[in-house]
Amino acid sequence: MNQNKKFDSTFKATLTGIKDVLFPPKTDKTLNNQDRLDGKTCLVTGSNTGLGFAIATELAKRGGRIIMAVRSGIPQKGTEIQQLSGNSNVQMEFVELSELQSIKDLVLRLAEQQIVIDILVCNAGVVPAGSKQAKNGLDLMFAVNYLSTFYLVNLLLQHQIIQAPHTPQARLIFVSSESHRVDLPIDYTTFGQPISYSAAKVVKFYGYYKLILNIFIEELNRRYANNGKNLSIFTLCPGAVHSNISRNSPQLLKPILWLVFKIFFQTPLQASRPAVYFACSPKLEGQTGHYLHMMQDKKMAAVSYDAEHGQKVWAASEQLLANLGFKL
């Protein structure tokens, strides 16, 4: 199947995900019990459920101070991670990532607490049943899966909650998707505006917004990482995971998708491995720009590395924020 056609429909994407899980290549990327995060502060978005919950739990088991940035599950999900990990150093912070003011409020609370983040995991995402608008009029997937990350990361850097340079380097870990290889050009004239798509095409546009995310990540790498001397920036696709991300699927499809996911997809714990590896591996100190698909090194789609697109995405994002009253 053509690489760009694998994610043209939800059905094709599901088959691709199943194939990747059933036939995973071997990996040499492992951690041992000594690879710990004692004394480090980790912020994980969307960590009240699914993949984010598994990542936060695993980082807590390795001694990290965990900040769960979530919109629900307070305080019970934090208590659950404390019990599962044996680590009491877990706090929860409310954020609604589709609302820019909520993101700004989160950052200001962190600044007031004088928190410095060593490890940021941008995990939160949404997959609606079809095209849907956020309250601010933007496409919901664009707002949550991309723009929230752009705004959050820039605010964290501005307030020096993430410090560049810093010793050791802060690690920024972004959960993306292989579906970013979708065959859609970036339209800067309609940037962030709602796009009409059905449930059958949700994964295609999910991939479109992940492509924009990847372009931003590489521009962030060019602007801030300085070849790993200032920041370490990593991107991953966890592979197909049986999580709560399909909760907004059409009612008729929910039981079918749940059964397919349950039988063929990874558990959130299995899918958390690349994020935990990026957060904990001592081999990655002073490195940047790596992309893992599951546990395999890969290159992202070529357009992800295009500096001209990087500058355009950054400028379009800043302009959009300014138009909405949230100038950086």
Side-chain angles (χ1 to χ4, degrees):
M1 191 184 298
N2 183 297
Q3 192 76 358
N4 292 334
K5 300 297 183 183
K6 289 180 179 180
F7 306 101
D8 264 0
S9 69
T10 303
F11 177 72
K12 287 181 182 179
T14 301
L15 291 181
T16 299
I18 290 172
K19 177 178 176 292
D20 290 338
V21 171
L22 291 179
F23 305 103
K26 292 182 179 179
T27 181
D28 59 352
K29 293 172 175 55
T30 58
L31 297 171
N32 59 48
N33 293 335
Q34 286 70 49
D35 298 328
R36 295 185 54 81
L37 298 172
D38 301 284
K40 293 187 177 182
T41 298
C42 314
L43 188 146
V44 186
T45 66
S47 46
N48 59 313
T49 188
L51 178 61
F53 182 85
I55 292 169
T57 302
E58 292 304 294
L59 300 186
K61 287 179 179 178
R62 292 181 179 271
R65 174 192 180 186
I66 307 301
I67 301 174
M68 302 169 67
V70 300
R71 66 174 182 172
S72 63
I74 301 171
Q76 61 269 27
K77 286 296 182 177
T79 302
E80 193 174 339
I81 287 182
Q82 290 175 332
Q83 293 170 343
L84 289 170
S85 66
N87 181 349
S88 62
N89 204 353
V90 178
Q91 75 180 74
M92 302 192 76
E93 294 287 345
F94 172 80
V95 66
E96 171 53 74
L97 291 173
S98 67
E99 298 178 9
L100 296 168
Q101 185 61 52
S102 183
I103 298 170
K104 185 175 182 179
D105 290 344
L106 167 66
V107 172
L108 292 177
R109 290 198 307 273
L110 297 176
E112 188 176 339
Q113 297 172 57
Q114 297 184 322
I115 287 172
V116 174
I117 293 171
D118 301 288
I119 296 165
L120 172 68
V121 183
C122 290
N123 158 79
V126 63
V127 182
S131 55
K132 190 174 180 181
Q133 285 189 35
K135 288 182 180 179
N136 55 18
L138 300 178
D139 184 278
L140 181 64
M141 278 205 292
F142 174 89
V144 174
N145 298 0
Y146 167 64
L147 191 63
S148 68
T149 299
F150 178 85
Y151 190 47
L152 175 63
V153 169
N154 274 284
L155 285 184
L156 291 173
L157 286 163
Q158 282 184 10
H159 288 269
Q160 295 195 332
I161 297 168
I162 293 175
Q163 298 179 353
H166 179 64
T167 303
Q169 284 91 355
R171 298 189 183 190
L172 281 61
I173 301 165
F174 298 92
V175 178
S176 186
S177 169
E178 273 290 279
S179 64
H180 81 277
R181 301 182 192 277
V182 68
D183 191 15
L184 280 172
I186 307 298
D187 187 346
Y188 295 101
T189 63
T190 61
F191 198 69
Q193 295 178 19
I195 300 172
S196 180
Y197 47 84
S198 65
K201 294 294 183 181
V202 164
V203 172
K204 183 172 185 176
F205 286 96
Y206 176 81
Y208 174 68
Y209 295 128
K210 288 297 187 180
L211 174 59
I212 295 173
L213 175 67
N214 288 2
I215 292 171
F216 154 66
I217 292 166
E218 284 306 306
E219 181 64 16
L220 183 73
N221 197 36
R222 282 187 287 270
R223 295 188 182 207
Y224 283 96
N226 192 19
N227 294 319
K229 294 177 182 177
N230 291 341
L231 292 176
S232 292
I233 297 172
F234 304 121
T235 313
L236 67 98
C237 170
V241 53
H242 181 31
S243 72
N244 203 29
I245 200 167
S246 63
R247 61 188 176 274
N248 295 316
S249 302
Q251 288 298 326
L252 290 175
L253 286 178
K254 274 187 180 179
I256 299 171
L257 289 174
W258 186 91
L259 185 61
V260 170
F261 289 5
K262 178 71 174 177
I263 294 173
F264 295 108
F265 284 13
Q266 301 171 97
T267 65
L269 177 60
Q270 291 169 327
S272 72
R273 291 182 303 156
V276 176
Y277 178 79
F278 275 147
C280 301
S281 176
K283 297 177 182 177
L284 295 175
E285 188 60 40
Q287 296 190 36
T288 193
H290 296 295
Y291 173 65
L292 286 179
H293 173 214
M294 300 171 74
M295 292 300 286
Q296 298 299 312
D297 287 305
K298 263 191 177 182
K299 285 288 185 182
M300 296 185 292
V303 67
S304 305
Y305 304 99
D306 187 291
E308 183 178 352
H309 272 297
Q311 292 166 11
K312 285 182 177 179
V313 162
W314 195 289
S317 302
E318 283 189 321
Q319 185 60 58
L320 186 55
L321 288 173
N323 292 345
L324 292 168
F326 293 89
K327 187 175 180 180
L328 286 172

